[in-house]
Amino acid sequence: MMTPYAPANSEQKWQAAWDKAGVFTAQHDPSKPKYYVLEMFPYPSGRIHMGHVRNYTMGDVVARYKMSCGFSVLHPMGWDAFGMPAENAAMERGGHPKDWTYGNIADMRGQMKPLGLSIDWSREFATCDPEYYGQQQAMFLDMLEAGLVYRKNAVVNWDPIDMTVLANEQVIDGRGWRSGALVQRKELTQWFFKISDYAGELLSALDDLKDWPEKVRLMQANWIGQSRGLQFAFGTINAPAGFDRIECYTTRPDTLMGASFVGISPDHPIAKALEQTDPDMAAFIAECRKGGTTEEAIETGEKLGRDTGLRVRHPLDEAWELPVYIANFILMDYGTGAIFGCPAHDARDFEFATKYDLPIHAVFCPEGDETADADLPLAQEFVPLKSEKVRYIRGYAGDTVQTGEQAIAAAITFCEANGIGRGVTNYRLRDWGLSRQRYWGCPIPVVHCAACGVVPERKENLPIRLPDDVTFDKPGNPLDRHPTWRDTTCPKCGAAARRETDTMDTFVDSSWYYARFTAPHATTPTDPAETDYWMNVDQYIGGIEHAILHLLYSRFFARAMHKTGHLPAKAVEPFKALFTQGMVTHEIYKTTDGNGRPVYHLPEDIDRDAGVVRATGEKLEIIPSAKMSKSKKNVVDPMNIIASFGADTARFFVMSDSPPERDVEWTAAGADATSKFLTRVWRIASEIADGAGGAGGAEDQALMRATHKAVDEVTRSIDGFAFNKAVAAIYGLSNTLAKSQAANPAKRAAMQIMAQLMAPMVPHLAEDIWAALGGAGFVVQAGWPKADPALLMQDEVTLPIQINGKKRAEITVPRDMPASEVEKIVLADEAVIKALAGGQPKKLIVVPGRIVNVVI
RNA sequence: GCGGGCGUGGCGAAAUGGUAGACGCAGCAGGUUUAGGUCCUGCCGCCGCAAGGCGUGGGGGUUCAAGUCCCUUCGCCCGCACCA
């Protein structure tokens, strides 16, 4: 009997049944190949959104598919649970960050479970669990011992709203990545990870990440920013004591003969020395510091400089003296904090030289510029190195060099041979500052002792737990003003000492969670037997917004974990394949109020067809496809979709139409259509279960061909992360099945295969169909169908006939007909005869099984 | 400024150098239905009554054959950006 399709009941039923059977509990089974699929774990905001649904459904499709293919699959879920929002909530609403966070986790887990994801919930953890962050503290101590963490005084990015330090990666356009506040420069003593030690390796290893998006690899390569150049020194003439030389770094040593000044950073040791004795310099340096990284300074980009009065000698010409300027655009932490200025061939130096009236010596001119001579006059204009080819004119390496690259290499060789500096490789990447002046994070497990200095905690004292009795009535770090938590004894000498009150950047938490999932309850950070079996993550899925931050930190952290014995060598690249998915978008419905301010309307409050607000009849402006945002009211709550259509509809919709790496627009019409399709499939299946079928015969064979073609297409599509094409193939098969006059047994067989093909995407419906057709066990455990190559071959093929590249006719011939036979048939074709008009073709191309082209 | 990506019907999109537009949405016509919805059948790139012609942002090239490869140009999007 046909029963109506009722997702609400059946989805819950199957979820309970899978749970009871432990279908998704990951098994460490050495007899099977393993597959580890991971989606970037969520921050427990309290509500899941459509982006989560899309992200986790993609992972689920892969996980279920691999499971069906015979892999032992690990598909875990956890919570990236430390961070500012919990503290903000405590400040705004009272309560404790811990209660807020764990409450949100419970809520979100409750919203995720109805999606029917194939997650091994027994491995769940939150990064704010002491069992997790205690292990993180243990690793921190190991890394400290291994020299991978250190403490230094540095100018850092200070976020005045979040009242904490930010890493360079966390400053976007001069603003804090979370608060949006203009970042200030502040000098503080902070903890750093030595990620710069790995700059070269993190860069070169990108080449091997073949299954990562090219875009992400490029972004990381640019961020690491490798450059090759010359480090050399200018001898000083009248510098303060102790400063005999000024070390410079340049990527353009070929322009050394175009020098007209030396510039140093306001933070350079010489600048600091001058600051002590020269009030004018001190004032100028103070002005530079004030600017720094503020947005205004970046936007106006004004180059400020001041002549120090110091003079240096050019390394290639003792008699040549150059002035030394302090300049606001020179960064102390790149290269040596000092540069030589070549205004003729560097746009920034040109601007600076023009402003301060410094000479501009050209060193070369573009190829073909015959006005230039071996002794170039002072240039009036900036000469950009647009062409690779230049006439290399002035300098020490002769005038034979043809390209800029060769000139640079020759200059380095020349300088090294003459004892002027050495070729060095520099990186833009700087060490990762991990100290945060916040409560809700992993405490840094060290102690400050008056006698012994900074002392690591003893491992047996871990975890250093966050105290529960904290207040958020004042800004700043509650740990810092806690009456007793800070008080401890020195692990070394036993005297009274103070705990470190900074906590770790939350990006530390997410830099190793993938490894912890392999042994979430181990009493050490990782378990070698488990990491050896499960690592690496075979498929990682998440948003492109983590292309640099999280993904670069994780690549570093895996290396640091390997060095400290927490990961095997094979796991230094933790994510074998990466997929970055697009967003779920939605139209925005906007009207304008009396004061010209925008008013946004929820999708359920408007009439899309009439284009008006339902309640008031106001005319709507419809803004197409934008990121879902609460303030724009274009948010669709997955819980509402599940309530009205079921999880399978939500899952199938987000897999349909758009390729997964691109944005997909959620529409009410699309959700309706998806739901109708699933209902239709259920109806077709029910009819087959009830015995529906036609006469069979040749129809049976045709149906099996269509089915195996679909198996082939769906398999290749899922393998290639083209879920939209897998969905299209399933639509195609359902159309064929609905119209087929095959006999019932053939239809039944085809429908069973279709249930298997649909199972990764719509697992509940697939189980219903499987059960209705009398399949044994769960469809999720029924294996993956294999396309029969014999059925994919057609006995006859239709060949299009092109005349001069345009299709004019087609013929149907046996698949293996020899080309000579095909030619005869083609030449006898009416359209060909007409086109030839009695003549002979110039050429006749037969591509067997594909196409024929007649060239006239 | 540097680096990268993308431009295909009304819309989301397919297309190992080999029949452009699979599949879906929207739309149109018909059937079922008291009606609406559901469901079923068919049509659906553009121009054209048709025959036919034209079509993958524009221009050029390679090729028997180009959405696909090369050059050039326009437009949009993303990342980085005082890095010496």
Side-chain angles (χ1 to χ4, degrees):
Chain A
M1 268 306 287
M2 163 87 193
T3 48
Y5 179 54
N9 299 332
S10 100
E11 289 184 356
Q12 264 188 15
K13 181 186 80 188
W14 289 116
Q15 285 162 21
W18 294 327
D19 219 21
K20 194 174 165 206
V23 174
F24 305 126
T25 307
Q27 303 292 342
H28 179 152
D29 179 352
S31 71
K32 277 174 147 185
K34 66 91 190 181
Y35 197 89
Y36 183 3
V37 55
L38 183 67
E39 301 95 53
M40 291 180 186
F41 68 162
Y43 178 79
S45 63
R47 297 297 296 177
I48 67 164
H49 52 68
M50 276 299 169
H52 290 126
V53 174
R54 195 174 191 211
N55 189 197
Y56 304 141
T57 302
M58 283 180 198
D60 203 44
V61 169
V62 174
R64 287 171 176 272
Y65 167 68
K66 290 291 177 182
M67 204 178 293
S68 293
C69 292
F71 288 85
S72 185
V73 170
L74 173 56
H75 185 208
M77 181 61 66
W79 311 95
D80 188 13
F82 272 137
M84 286 299 300
E87 281 187 68
N88 290 340
M91 281 185 265
E92 283 160 27
R93 278 164 266 173
H96 197 281
K98 187 171 163 181
D99 300 330
W100 185 86
T101 303
Y102 282 104
N104 282 351
I105 288 172
D107 288 348
M108 282 181 80
R109 190 193 301 113
Q111 293 159 32
M112 273 165 80
K113 289 214 166 173
L115 285 169
L117 303 170
S118 63
I119 285 166
D120 179 358
W121 287 101
S122 71
R123 291 174 186 254
E124 176 191 358
F125 61 77
T127 55
C128 62
D129 297 341
E131 295 73 30
Y132 182 80
Y133 70 70
Q135 299 301 339
Q136 188 165 304
Q137 291 169 336
M139 283 197 295
F140 179 93
L141 295 176
D142 292 342
M143 290 177 189
L144 182 60
E145 201 183 337
L148 291 161
V149 198
Y150 67 100
R151 208 160 170 263
K152 73 169 177 191
N153 192 279
V155 177
V156 293
N157 309 298
W158 177 258
D159 185 321
I161 288 187
D162 283 352
M163 303 272 286
T164 187
V165 164
L166 297 175
N168 293 318
E169 290 81 358
Q170 294 158 10
V171 179
I172 320 274
D173 294 336
R175 289 173 181 272
W177 72 290
R178 182 187 290 285
S179 71
L182 286 173
V183 165
Q184 300 167 351
R185 286 155 58 98
K186 200 164 175 174
E187 201 161 322
L188 284 175
T189 301
Q190 298 277 292
W191 288 97
F192 289 85
F193 281 120
K194 263 198 149 297
I195 189 170
S196 62
D197 272 6
Y198 291 84
E201 198 193 322
L202 287 169
L203 179 69
S204 61
L206 286 172
D207 293 340
D208 299 324
L209 294 176
K210 307 258 186 263
D211 296 320
W212 278 41
E214 184 64 26
K215 182 186 170 75
V216 174
R217 299 193 310 184
L218 268 163
M219 283 168 71
Q220 291 212 356
N222 289 338
W223 188 263
I224 294 167
Q226 187 180 63
S227 71
R228 179 77 187 160
L230 179 77
Q231 188 168 324
F232 66 104
F234 288 90
T236 58
I237 295 171
N238 54 342
F243 297 106
D244 299 340
R245 314 147 52 81
I246 298 178
E247 287 279 334
C248 287
Y249 171 74
T250 180
T251 57
R252 295 296 308 279
D254 56 320
T255 64
L256 207 46
M257 291 305 282
S260 60
F261 67 96
V262 169
I264 61 172
S265 165
D267 298 311
H268 194 276
I270 292 181
K272 291 194 169 172
L274 293 170
E275 199 176 13
Q276 304 301 316
T277 57
D278 184 340
D280 183 49
M281 282 298 136
F284 176 71
I285 289 165
E287 196 187 334
C288 291
R289 290 215 178 107
K290 201 167 54 186
T293 52
T294 68
E295 194 176 46
E296 197 194 350
I298 287 168
E299 268 174 19
T300 60
E302 197 186 357
K303 315 254 172 299
L304 297 175
R306 191 63 57 94
D307 188 350
T308 59
L310 304 186
R311 294 294 177 268
V312 294
R313 296 184 201 286
H314 194 285
L316 293 165
D317 182 355
E318 280 287 300
W320 188 354
E321 292 189 11
L322 298 165
V324 178
Y325 276 68
I326 294 177
N328 66 340
F329 59 85
I330 301 170
L331 308 168
M332 189 57 221
D333 51 2
Y334 184 79
T336 61
I339 61 160
F340 86 88
C342 176
H345 307 300
D346 179 281
R348 188 197 49 204
D349 292 347
F350 182 79
E351 190 188 327
F352 190 84
T354 308
K355 182 165 176 180
Y356 293 102
D357 218 14
L358 292 157
I360 300 168
H361 309 282
V363 180
F364 52 73
C365 58
E367 190 178 48
D369 182 347
E370 299 306 330
T371 64
D373 196 76
D375 188 21
L376 287 172
L378 295 190
Q380 296 305 303
E381 284 178 356
F382 170 56
V383 184
L385 183 54
K386 274 198 182 137
S387 162
E388 279 264 287
K389 290 207 164 187
V390 297
R391 264 183 72 204
Y392 190 74
I393 296 197
R394 178 191 291 223
Y396 39 83
D399 63 351
T400 54
V401 178
Q402 288 298 301
T403 70
E405 215 170 288
Q406 287 168 346
I408 292 166
I412 292 176
T413 307
F414 175 87
C415 288
E416 282 183 338
N418 288 276
I420 303 158
R422 64 202 161 86
V424 297
T425 300
N426 243 316
Y427 297 93
R428 207 185 76 109
L429 181 70
R430 273 160 270 162
D431 281 337
W432 172 16
L434 68 114
S435 302
R436 295 292 177 274
Q437 291 69 43
R438 302 305 324 170
Y439 165 76
W440 193 232
C442 172
I444 295 173
V446 299
V447 164
H448 298 276
C449 170
C452 310
V454 177
V455 184
E457 256 300 354
R458 292 172 190 276
K459 274 200 180 168
E460 56 266 34
N461 292 341
L462 301 183
I464 303 301
R465 289 171 182 265
L466 288 168
D468 285 340
D469 54 334
V470 284
T471 54
F472 295 91
D473 47 348
K474 280 180 272 185
N477 182 357
L479 293 177
D480 223 13
R481 56 171 186 264
H482 190 282
T484 57
W485 186 80
R486 292 182 310 180
D487 303 332
T488 185
T489 51
C490 173
K492 210 164 169 184
C493 71
R498 276 189 57 165
R499 281 197 191 290
E500 170 73 64
T501 56
D502 284 355
T503 54
M504 294 185 206
D505 181 2
T506 57
F507 280 97
V508 181
D509 311 338
S510 53
S511 291
W512 72 287
Y513 77 108
Y514 49 84
R516 184 68 182 169
F517 274 136
T518 65
H521 310 299
T523 52
T524 47
T526 56
D527 176 340
E530 298 301 324
T531 51
D532 189 57
Y533 179 71
W534 290 113
M535 289 300 285
N536 300 337
V537 176
D538 294 281
Q539 182 66 60
Y540 197 35
I541 307 171
I544 186 77
E545 67 273 17
H546 292 108
I548 292 172
L549 286 165
H550 162 59
L551 290 166
L552 188 61
Y553 290 152
S554 293
R555 294 181 60 223
F556 158 71
F557 217 78
R559 285 170 169 79
M561 284 174 74
H562 170 57
K563 190 173 177 188
T564 49
H566 296 296
L567 274 182
K570 67 170 183 178
V572 297
E573 281 301 342
F575 312 121
K576 182 179 178 295
L578 172 71
F579 190 87
T580 54
Q581 97 273 9
M583 292 185 299
V584 183
T585 63
H586 197 282
E587 290 176 335
I588 295 174
Y589 308 113
K590 188 181 127 184
T591 56
T592 308
D593 72 6
N595 299 317
R597 276 190 290 264
V599 179
Y600 299 101
H601 303 274
L602 292 168
E604 55 262 39
D605 294 339
I606 60 111
D607 182 334
R608 177 71 172 71
D609 294 332
V612 296
V613 181
R614 255 199 214 115
T616 62
E618 278 173 284
K619 189 97 183 109
L620 281 175
E621 184 190 340
I622 298 176
I623 300 165
S625 206
K627 181 178 181 169
M628 286 191 181
S629 132
K630 269 185 194 157
S631 64
K632 302 282 164 60
K633 295 204 177 170
N634 63 335
V635 175
V636 173
D637 188 335
M639 291 303 103
N640 293 341
I641 302 303
I642 292 174
S644 28
F645 299 108
D648 282 344
T649 293
R651 296 172 55 120
F652 207 59
F653 184 101
V654 294
M655 293 293 103
S656 308
D657 293 345
S658 287
E661 67 276 14
R662 238 178 275 179
D663 292 351
V664 64
E665 186 178 41
W666 184 276
T667 62
D672 258 344
T674 304
S675 177
K676 277 180 201 168
F677 173 71
L678 297 182
T679 308
R680 174 178 140 95
V681 172
W682 172 243
R683 193 172 51 244
I684 296 167
S686 299
E687 286 163 8
I688 293 169
D690 288 347
E699 288 280 323
D700 285 7
Q701 180 76 351
L703 179 59
M704 284 328 282
R705 281 187 191 285
T707 306
H708 280 256
K709 197 163 150 262
V711 170
D712 182 54
E713 281 173 15
V714 171
T715 305
R716 281 188 293 116
S717 298
I718 295 180
D719 277 333
F721 249 80
F723 305 124
N724 55 324
K725 286 194 264 171
V727 167
I730 286 167
Y731 267 99
L733 180 56
S734 92
N735 290 339
T736 306
L737 201 45
K739 285 175 199 165
S740 170
Q741 287 308 306
N744 182 264
K747 284 192 142 191
R748 187 173 285 265
M751 194 71 208
Q752 279 186 322
I753 290 174
M754 174 139 147
Q756 288 174 286
L757 295 180
M758 293 178 81
M761 289 177 261
V762 285
H764 313 90
L765 175 61
E767 293 289 4
D768 276 326
I769 293 172
W770 188 254
L773 296 177
F778 293 117
V779 69
V780 64
Q781 293 180 319
W784 192 252
K786 205 164 159 26
D788 179 350
L791 286 171
L792 297 178
M793 292 282 206
Q794 296 289 334
D795 297 333
E796 295 201 313
V797 290
T798 301
L799 294 182
I801 299 177
Q802 293 183 332
I803 294 170
N804 289 336
K806 297 216 179 243
K807 189 197 160 191
R808 287 290 181 255
E810 58 183 34
I811 52 172
T812 300
V813 298
R815 176 163 47 83
D816 47 9
M817 177 182 267
S820 55
E821 292 294 311
V822 175
E823 282 179 21
K824 280 183 203 159
I825 296 172
V826 169
L827 291 175
D829 186 87
E830 209 176 305
V832 175
I833 290 168
K834 193 178 158 197
L836 284 173
Q840 282 296 309
K842 278 195 198 135
K843 215 168 184 179
L844 186 54
I845 292 144
V846 177
V847 185
R850 293 219 72 104
I851 203 163
V852 179
N853 196 5
V854 185
V855 185
I856 294 170

